[in-house]
């Protein structure tokens, strides 16, 4: 076996790097290049051609979703440049080949096609056909391709697996695919090597479509273009740029193939899924622009008009350039009443607009402010990232005061989305605008929404209850990906390892929880911390807390850490202004004592006080978890094809920008957590926010907010803006908690009369 493998790779090396290819036409070059290695092609390409199975898995998942409403339509797949038929055989694992009415492998290389014929004969697939034709003008024996018929929109699925870079004249090939692909449910999938142009040469819109990490360094860009050019493989940016212009992007992933020498050889490759630009995106446009005031990613339509001969506004000089390539249908505009012809020159909409199913996530362009949160990509660190992979406000207490009905429209801070999901399950309001400028919070909440629709309850609870799902990557590709935006998919594809151990114990905040566990172990109370989570009565819980856990947790070391601004910010997400607010009213020890002491007397951690149970165990239990993690809550969210979740609109922007885009009187409730604590008393931005809240709230609407201070200075700003301000609850020492979390010193309501 070892000798056979060595001989195969030796043959691959000879034909790929030493044997001359010659300079004949494309067909001749392909046959000469592959004739001597066709039989060992598949055995020697597994490490080099990465992403093929991922592309097929993603395609299968998206096809199932896209064809759910058009299952009776003829199902035809064309694999262009499919060579040995590897893709078709591999696809059977993800999407049964028998489900296709017809599959056509189109390629110019006869030696590779001979391998494909033998492969399909062994499998006995009668619906798979091998076609030796040029990709730019291939013809198929399909009913819709018969003489006198127009094959436009007749293909359901087209793949280009490491073949687009090998097609010399790729423009007519992509144009032909665009014509033949079904606009309603057609899917085009590509995996290939690439290099990108400079980011400075692309607009924000183009960079957003390409996705994160698309840009290549100058050395990588030039080296790989020159290297692959020896084999007549073109890695210039033109192919991918035209692909992303000609079609609407559904998914995009930019990877690096660490082939042979992982730290030295890193070949850029991409996986891309798209659809026809003529597909109906009106639902997404309405959700983004009409309902949410977001026009990002919708390029303003511009037209190049066919000018009249004597048009005084747009004079066009006579040019001797031959006959027009466009049949204008008018004689140089001389005929009276002739219609004006519009040529579509606009770029495609954003990838958010071409999503397969849900308009949850609103388009956004990555700005410098978003990059402040990008360390989440590597380790769930920085700026409330892990700490807010769960929420530290009590939604049950919120519901006592919100009085939400089916006609209400809410404005909430996204955070981890737990509270927003609670509101949706408990009341099913018409709209919930979730706002967070941190894109990582949007990625997390979007993943939760998609997982509700795509996973079973045990899979869902393993992921977000246990925080541990070793099959996360497989579930992401096969079940969840069609329900995610492109940028969210790429984020979780990069961070799929986060669920391998414990999602809730990662990053800086995870290290804070690990530090607490270490302190418990060193102090000999680790068992008592677990017992606190299992106590069956309030009396038992109080005893364990006061006698065993409290003396350890409220020790001088912990208090000293709370006095450190860096620890408060990185581990707990407490900004400087908020820290100053509670220190102005007492010491760090007083704040910690007043927060934690009443918890043991308020509710059992075992039976519902899940916030602190998570911090002690690093996971939830099915008896103590957020409402969305209960089976009943999960089923309510899934019911009627996720109708309850249609209320969500996820904004990746600042609060003020979102408020500016919303119409007056369009909201009835706003829940903004401790957001106002982040402002400085000298800031004018807070006054603008409060004024806009007053504008967008309908009469009778109100804002709920919490503060680390008992008497926050900014409540006077609400009063000046016209709100009627009232304190719902305020902590009084360390005896009584204001809710099951008791993290904040006061809870306020600002009512618009």
């Amino acid at each position: 076996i070892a000798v056979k493998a060595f001989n195969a790779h030796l043959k691959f090396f000879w034909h790929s790097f030493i044997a001359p290819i010659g300079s004949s036409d494309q067909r001749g070059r392909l046959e000469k290049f592959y004739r001597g290695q066709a039989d060992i092609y598949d055995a020697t390409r597994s490490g080099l051609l990465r992403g093929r199975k991922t592309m097929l898995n993603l395609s299968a998942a998206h096809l199932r979703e896209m064809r759910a409403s058009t299952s009776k339509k003829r199902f035809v797949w064309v694999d262009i440049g499919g060579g040995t038929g590897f893709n078709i055989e591999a696809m059977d694992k993800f999407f049964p080949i028998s489900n296709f009415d017809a599959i056509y492998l189109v390629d110019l290389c006869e030696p590779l096609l001979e391998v494909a014929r033998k492969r399909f004969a062994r499998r006995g697939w009668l619906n798979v056909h091998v076609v030796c034709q040029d990709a730019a003008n291939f013809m198929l024996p399909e009913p819709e391709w018969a003489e006198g018929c127009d094959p436009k929109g007749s293909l359901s699925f087209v793949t280009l697996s490491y073949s687009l870079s090998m097609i010399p004249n790729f423009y007519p090939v992509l144009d032909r695919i665009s014509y033949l692909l079904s606009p309603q449910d057609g899917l085009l999938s590509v995996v290939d090597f690439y290099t990108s142009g400079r980011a400075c040469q692309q607009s924000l819109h183009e960079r957003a479509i390409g996705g994160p990490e698309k840009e290549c360094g100058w050395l990588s860009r030039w080296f790989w273009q020159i290297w692959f050019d020896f084999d007549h493989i073109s890695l210039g940016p033109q192919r991918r740029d035209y692909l992303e212009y000609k079609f609407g992007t559904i998914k995009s992933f930019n990877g690096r193939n660490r082939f042979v020498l992982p730290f030295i050889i890193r070949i850029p490759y991409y996986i891309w899924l798209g659809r026809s630009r003529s597909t109906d995106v009106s639902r997404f446009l309405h959700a983004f622009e009409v309902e949410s005031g977001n026009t990002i990613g919708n390029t303003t339509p511009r037209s190049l008009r066919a000018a009249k001969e004597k048009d005084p506004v747009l004079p066009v000089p006579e040019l001797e350039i031959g006959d027009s390539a466009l049949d204008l249908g008018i004689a140089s505009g001389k005929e009276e009443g002739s219609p004006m012809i519009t040529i579509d020159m606009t770029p495609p909409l954003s990838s958010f607009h071409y999503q397969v199913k849900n308009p949850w996530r609103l388009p956004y362009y990555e700005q410098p402010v978003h990059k402040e949160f990008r360390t989440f990509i590597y380790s769930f660190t920085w700026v409330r990232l892990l700490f807010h992979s769960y929420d530290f406000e009590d939604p049950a207490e919120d519901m006592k005061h919100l009085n939400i009905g089916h006609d209400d429209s809410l404005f909430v801070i996204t955070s981890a989305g737990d509270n927003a999901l609670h509101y949706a399950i408990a009341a099913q309001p018409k709209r919930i605008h979730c706002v967070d400028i941190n894109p990582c919070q949007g990625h997390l909440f979007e993943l939760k929404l998609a997982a509700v629709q795509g996973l079973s309850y045990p899979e869902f609870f393993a992921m977000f209850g246990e925080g541990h799902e070793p099959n996360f990557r497989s579930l992401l590709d096969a079940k969840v990906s069609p329900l995610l935006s492109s940028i969210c998919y790429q984020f979780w594809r990069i961070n799929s390892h986060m669920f391998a151990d414990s999602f809730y114990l990662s990053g800086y905040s995870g290290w804070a929880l690990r530090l607490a566990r270490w302190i418990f172990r060193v102090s000999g109370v680790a068992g008592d911390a677990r017992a606190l989570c299992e106590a069956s009565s309030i009396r038992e819980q109080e005893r364990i807390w006061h006698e065993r856990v409290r003396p350890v947790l409220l020790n001088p070391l912990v208090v000293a850490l709370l006095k450190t601004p860096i620890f408060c910010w990185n581990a707990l997400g407490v900004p400087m202004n908020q820290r100053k607010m509670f220190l102005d009213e007492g010491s760090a020890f007083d704040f910690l004592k007043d927060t934690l002491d009443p918890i043991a007397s308020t509710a059992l951690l075992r039976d519902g006080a899940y916030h602190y149970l998570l911090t002690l165990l690093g996971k939830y239990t099915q008896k103590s978890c957020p409402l969305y993690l209960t089976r009943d809550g999960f089923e309510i969210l899934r019911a009627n094809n996720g109708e309850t979740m249609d209320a969500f609109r996820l904004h990746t922007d600042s609060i003020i920008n979102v408020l500016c885009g919303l119409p007056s009187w369009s909201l009835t409730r706003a829940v903004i957590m401790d957001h106002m604590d982040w402002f400085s008393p000298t800031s004018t931005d807070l006054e603008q926010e409060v004024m806009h809240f007053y504008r967008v709230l309908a009469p009778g609407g109100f804002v709920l907010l919490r503060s680390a201070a008992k008497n926050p200075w900014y409540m006077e700003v609400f009063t000046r803006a016209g709100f009627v301000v009232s304190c719902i609850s305020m902590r009084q020492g360390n005896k009584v908690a204001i809710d099951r979390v008791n993290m904040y010193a006061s809870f306020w309501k600002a009512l618009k009369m």
Side-chain angles (χ1 to χ4, degrees), residues 76-98:
V76 181
W77 172 18
V78 176
D79 186 23
I80 296 177
T84 64
F86 171 89
N87 291 334
I88 295 173
E89 186 173 54
M91 184 62 154
D92 193 48
K93 176 183 177 181
F94 309 115
F95 199 103
I97 295 303
S98 58

Side-chain angles (χ1 to χ4, degrees), residues 636-656:
I636 290 173
L637 291 172
R638 281 176 64 96
N640 300 320
N641 198 24
E643 182 180 5
T644 297
M645 294 189 292
D646 289 342
F648 290 111
R649 297 292 180 264
L650 278 58
H651 302 255
T652 310
D653 206 343
S654 65
I655 287 179
I656 187 65

